[in-house]
Every structure is written in structure tokens, then in C-alpha cells.
Amino acid sequence: AQTVTQSQPEMSVQEAETVTLSCTYDTSESNYYLFWYKQPPSRQMILVIRQEAYKQQNATENRFSVNFQKAAKSFSLKISDSQLGDTAMYFCAFMKSGNQFYFGTGTSLTVIP
Amino acid sequence: NAGVTQTPKFQVLKTGQSMTLQCAQDMNHEYMSWYRQDPGMGLRLIHYSVGAGITDQGEVPNGYNVSRSTTEDFPLRLLSAAPSQTSVYFCASSYPLGQGGNTGELFFGEGSRLTVL
């Protein structure tokens, strides 16, 4: 079975600072994908970034980047230059073949002005 | 550009009542799924479908039925609502992994908040 663990239920960061959200997963699969989704107060689920497990290079999308450590089964999200609009719940997700998704319990991030 | 459309957005039911949450997507996605979101538990898969006429159970299927008669629609039926089914429900769709270079990311509807009294 696949499990995704987000050990930080809540975090806060000062505006313009950098914050890292942690995620670990457990799987015996060799080929899979990892995602971070953002859920602002509007409740809409928004894709932030994705990482293919077979790629060694860490994915980057503007201010968002990941630190993917395959051997350690770790997939952390770094948000640089935090903005008020980054305030949201962030979910780490694992996907294996067959489009089977497994989500973590989420980290609630608050950006403080 | 509608994407994934869920209706209704809010619903209040009494215990024992039945209802259907509607989900439609206009992206020609083969894969569709239903999740429920509860505080402290993330998103849990209820049912999913890999194509018209094919459905399967997810992690928490009890009390729910689905059908997939067309590629576009994937309704979720609550047979006899219980207070434990009070939750926010999300429908999501995606292309199969690898099709056309897609990485299988999920596209979500806006969610439906259901309260069972």
C-alpha cells in the first residue's frame, strides 16, 4: 500500500521569506509521479508542481521548487519570496500507474504580512 | 472552458435521504474519480473510472454508488445518507498516464459541501 505523510499540520512564514513544506511517502513502485496541490480558502484544488520519479533533476515552477530525494522517499516543497496569496492548504500527492492517487493530510500555510 | 463541473455546490440532507452529486468534464478525459475531504484526513478516494462503462472502488466506497455511461459524466449517488457522510466532495479527471505526454495530473471540480443531519 502507498502512504503519504505530511508531518507539519500548520506552518507560517513572513511575507517575502522562504518556507519548506515536508512530505514523505512509502511505496514499492519504481515508476511514479509526485505532486503538490494548493487549496486556497476558495476550496479549489490547484496544481502547484509535479515531479517524475525517473527524473533526477528537481522540478521548478517560478517561486516553487521541490527537493526530491528518491532513496529517502522524500518530496519537500520550497516556496521562495512568499506572498499573501500563497496562504492555503498544501497537499502532497503520489500517483502510480493506473492514475491511482494518494494524498497526504495537508499542511496549512499562513503567510504573515 | 468549463473543465470539471460539479453540482450542487452545497446540499443539506436528512439521515436516510438519497441524492446524487453530478460531475461533468469537457476535456475528454478517460479517468474520473470522486474524493471526500475531511479535516485532518486529506482527500480519500471513493470510486474511480478508467473509461465509460468501467468503475471501481477506492479507499472508502461504502454507502456510495457510481456509474459511467458516457466519457463526460460520472455521478456519485448516496443511497441512504448518514451523518458520517458529512464532508466536502471533489470530482476529478485526468488523461491516462503517458497519453500524449501527459503526467496524469488531476483536474478538480470546485467541490460540493454536503451536510447530513
Side-chain angles (χ1 to χ4, degrees):
Chain A
Q2 278 64 226
T3 58
V4 179
T5 302
Q6 293 180 250
S7 59
Q8 304 152 316
E10 296 181 354
M11 295 190 71
S12 61
V13 62
Q14 291 290 139
E15 194 174 6
E17 296 296 311
T18 295
V19 64
T20 298
L21 280 57
S22 301
C23 174
T24 60
Y25 58 94
D26 187 23
T27 184
S28 58
E29 302 281 331
S30 57
N31 187 27
Y32 52 88
Y33 290 76
L34 297 163
F35 301 83
W36 280 97
Y37 279 88
K38 167 185 176 181
Q39 186 181 42
S42 67
R43 204 170 67 194
Q44 180 70 44
M45 294 286 286
I46 303 166
L47 177 67
V48 175
I49 199 165
R50 70 169 71 86
Q51 174 79 44
E52 295 90 332
Y54 63 86
K55 289 187 177 180
Q56 292 184 338
Q57 185 173 3
N58 289 325
T60 299
E61 289 287 343
N62 300 315
R63 298 182 295 107
F64 299 88
S65 61
V66 299
N67 184 3
F68 174 47
Q69 302 291 328
K70 190 172 183 178
K73 296 180 181 175
S74 171
F75 182 60
S76 60
L77 174 69
K78 185 172 80 171
I79 305 174
S80 304
D81 186 24
S82 296
Q83 301 175 359
L84 297 179
D86 295 333
T87 292
M89 181 74 82
Y90 287 81
F91 291 98
C92 177
F94 167 98
M95 185 191 76
K96 65 175 186 175
S97 60
N99 290 55
Q100 296 298 295
F101 269 79
Y102 301 85
F103 287 85
T105 53
T107 296
S108 178
L109 176 67
T110 301
V111 179
I112 302 168
Chain B
N1 193 10
V4 179
T5 303
Q6 285 182 237
T7 57
K9 288 185 170 51
F10 300 92
Q11 183 72 50
V12 178
L13 289 177
K14 294 181 179 179
T15 297
Q17 287 185 316
S18 62
M19 77 156 297
T20 300
L21 296 175
Q22 302 290 345
C23 176
Q25 53 91 10
D26 61 359
M27 297 174 282
N28 202 31
H29 286 168
E30 293 183 23
Y31 180 87
M32 297 186 73
S33 53
W34 277 101
Y35 291 85
R36 61 177 289 172
Q37 182 181 16
D38 302 293
M41 303 189 75
L43 280 79
R44 292 181 293 168
L45 181 64
I46 304 171
H47 284 286
Y48 67 97
S49 169
V50 299
I54 306 170
T55 63
D56 207 345
Q57 296 181 352
E59 181 184 0
V60 288
N62 292 340
Y64 308 95
N65 272 357
V66 293
S67 60
R68 185 92 179 271
S69 57
T70 66
T71 299
E72 295 78 19
D73 300 300
F74 190 46
L76 177 72
R77 297 182 184 85
L78 280 70
L79 309 173
S80 177
S84 61
Q85 294 177 304
T86 293
S87 188
V88 177
Y89 292 84
F90 285 95
C91 180
S93 69
S94 69
Y95 288 111
L97 178 62
Q99 184 185 70
N102 287 291
T103 55
E105 68 181 86
L106 287 174
F107 293 81
F108 285 87
E110 294 182 347
S112 300
R113 180 176 293 278
L114 175 66
T115 301
V116 183
L117 303 176

